[in-house]
């Protein structure tokens, strides 16, 4: 029987592989959209349990039993949330509401600035016309204001649903902290040991370490930008700083996107202030990326930047914002599992021929 050349086999595998991958992505996206609400609640609860399990493990190392350790961590977390809810959250909500109300005024100021640039250009003999740019910017911002307004109304209407979802997440997180190890060991027990053990270790490293690192980096950005914006007299500086810090949850590009959006909005009001905000935010971001992030993140993900961008695009296509947030740790888990399996395989003694007989290496 005649066999195909190796290069033709490779081409056939690639030609069939991409359609299969595309079909699987489409099936996953449809599955997520059908169970979106349930999957979101379960994912947030699992991530919360992952994060809270870290301080629980620390308390266990200093001879606390698990249940008292969980109770202590939960009480401390509730206390921190109450403090934030009483101090930071009301101010941020008030600033955000006032910002939405002042956007039309900022648009008018932006149009006046653009008209001044046009007059300056015509005075210097440059045929500058920003009409198309002005129209596009105004249309985009008006659309976003309408979307934000409808979301605020929807939030007010769905308050009861939000409370129920929050309680569900809290209860699920507590049960995952108490019984999650048993459930996970049961699931891992179904998988062959040579795959299950590397998967469990890689999942713990990527999800727990990744989200703890991103949370610390986000808090760093928000806490350093808040006094910086106050010093620069940036209007609604607290809301802008929190927004940039929250953007850090989107790996690799989140902080840059947050800084860019905040800069554009501030430029509507004051172009010079927007440039100052951009420079200050980039300086703080560089401090974070070069001093803090390497110590926190390390190389536990080990993904190429191009691969990270592809993962973000695929995650966004499948599950929107939630998919973007969890895409990188999922990809890191897959890669880490494969690397650990290969490492285990390389440590297994391989037979070799010695003098006509088979002996084991090592």
């Amino acid at each position: 029987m005649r066999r195909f050349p190796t290069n033709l086999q490779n081409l056939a595998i690639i030609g069939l592989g991409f359609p299969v991958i595309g079909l699987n992505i489409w099936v996953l996206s449809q599955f997520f959209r059908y169970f979106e609400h349930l999957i979101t609640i379960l994912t947030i609860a699992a991530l919360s349990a992952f994060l809270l399990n870290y301080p629980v493990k620390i308390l266990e190392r200093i001879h606390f039993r698990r249940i008292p350790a969980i109770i202590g961590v939960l009480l401390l977390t509730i206390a921190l949330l109450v403090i934030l809810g009483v101090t930071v959250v009301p101010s941020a909500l008030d600033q955000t509401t006032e910002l939405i109300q002042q956007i039309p005024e900022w648009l008018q100021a932006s149009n006046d600035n653009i008209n001044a640039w046009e007059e300056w250009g015509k005075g210097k003999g440059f045929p500058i016309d920003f009409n198309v740019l002005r129209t596009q910017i105004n249309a985009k911002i008006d659309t976003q204001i309408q979307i934000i307004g409808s979301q605020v109304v929807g939030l007010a209407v769905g308050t009861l649903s939000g409370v129920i979802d929050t309680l569900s997440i809290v209860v699920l997180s507590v049960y995952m902290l108490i019984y999650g190890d048993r459930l996970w060991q049961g699931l891992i027990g179904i998988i062959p040991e040579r795959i299950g053990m590397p998967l469990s270790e890689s999942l713990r490293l990527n999800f727990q370490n990744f989200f703890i690192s991103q949370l610390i980096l986000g808090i760093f950005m928000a806490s350093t930008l808040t006094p910086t914006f106050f010093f620069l007299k940036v209007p609604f500086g607290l809301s802008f700083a929190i927004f940039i810090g929250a953007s850090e949850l989107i790996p690799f590009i989140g902080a840059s996107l947050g800084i860019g959006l905040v800069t554009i909005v501030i430029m509507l009001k004051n172009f010079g202030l927007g440039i100052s905000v951009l420079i200050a935010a980039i300086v703080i971001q560089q401090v974070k990326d070069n001093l803090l992030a390497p110590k926190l993140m390390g190389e536990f993900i080990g993904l190429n930047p191009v691969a990270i961008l592809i993962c973000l695009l695929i995650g966004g296509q499948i599950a929107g914002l939630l998919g973007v947030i969890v895409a990188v740790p999922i990809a890191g888990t897959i890669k880490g599992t494969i690397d650990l399996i290969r490492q285990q395989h390389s440590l297994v003694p391989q037979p070799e021929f010695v003098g006509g007989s088979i002996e084991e290496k090592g």
Side-chain angles (χ1 to χ4, degrees), residues 16 41 106 110 145 149 179 183 185 190 209 264 281 313 350:
L16 293 174
I41 291 177
W106 286 24
S110 175
I145 292 174
Y179 303 108
L183 175 62
Q185 292 301 325
I190 302 174
N209 294 359
I264 292 173
L313 293 174
Q350 300 295 324

Side-chain angles (χ1 to χ4, degrees), residues 41-277:
I41 291 177
L42 291 175
T43 303
I44 295 175
L47 293 178
S48 301
F50 258 113
L51 295 176
L52 294 176
N53 190 56
Y54 189 77
V56 169
K57 290 290 187 182
I58 294 176
L59 291 178
E60 285 184 310
R61 291 194 192 104
I62 56 177
H63 308 296
F64 275 84
R65 292 190 175 183
R66 185 165 181 82
I67 298 299
I70 291 174
I71 294 174
V73 170
L74 288 175
L75 291 176
L76 179 60
T77 303
I78 293 172
L80 290 175
L81 291 177
V82 169
I83 293 173
L84 290 175
V86 174
T87 57
V88 177
V89 174
S91 299
L93 289 176
D94 291 341
Q95 287 193 12
T96 303
T97 304
E98 189 177 351
L99 172 62
I100 294 174
Q101 295 173 350
Q102 290 194 14
I103 285 294
E105 179 184 341
W106 286 24
L107 281 175
Q108 184 59 45
S110 175
N111 290 331
D112 294 339
N113 291 332
I114 291 176
N115 291 333
W117 293 342
E118 287 183 350
E119 293 298 329
W120 177 85
K122 291 177 182 178
K124 297 295 183 179
F126 300 112
I128 300 176
D129 187 1
F130 291 110
N131 284 327
V132 176
L133 178 62
R134 183 193 297 115
T135 302
Q136 291 180 349
I137 291 176
N138 292 345
K140 289 288 185 181
I141 294 179
D142 287 339
T143 302
Q144 292 302 316
I145 292 174
Q146 293 176 4
I147 293 174
I148 293 173
S150 63
Q151 289 177 346
V152 170
V153 174
L155 180 63
V157 173
T159 301
L160 179 60
S161 176
V163 170
I164 294 175
D165 291 344
T166 302
L167 292 176
S168 300
I169 291 171
V170 171
V171 172
L172 282 171
S173 299
V174 173
Y175 273 92
M176 286 181 181
L177 278 172
I178 298 174
Y179 303 108
D181 288 342
R182 301 179 193 175
L183 175 62
W184 181 247
Q185 292 301 325
L187 294 175
I188 289 296
I190 302 174
I191 307 174
E193 185 177 355
R194 64 185 183 87
I195 299 176
M197 295 303 294
L199 174 62
S200 180
E201 180 65 16
S202 180
L203 186 72
R204 183 188 65 82
L205 285 175
N206 281 277
F207 269 84
Q208 182 172 286
N209 294 359
F210 179 83
F211 281 104
I212 288 176
S213 301
Q214 293 298 115
L215 184 61
I216 294 174
L217 294 176
I219 293 174
F220 171 80
M221 290 295 292
S223 60
T224 52
L225 285 173
T226 298
T228 303
F229 288 170
F230 178 79
F231 176 77
L232 294 174
K233 297 181 180 180
V234 177
F236 316 110
L238 178 61
S239 295
F240 288 139
I242 292 176
F243 174 75
I244 294 175
S247 300
E248 192 70 43
L249 287 175
I250 301 176
F252 196 64
I253 60 173
S256 298
L257 289 176
I259 292 171
L261 290 173
V262 167
T263 300
I264 292 173
V265 172
I266 295 176
M267 280 182 175
L268 295 177
K269 177 68 174 178
N270 188 321
F271 184 83
L273 181 60
I275 296 298
S276 300
V277 166

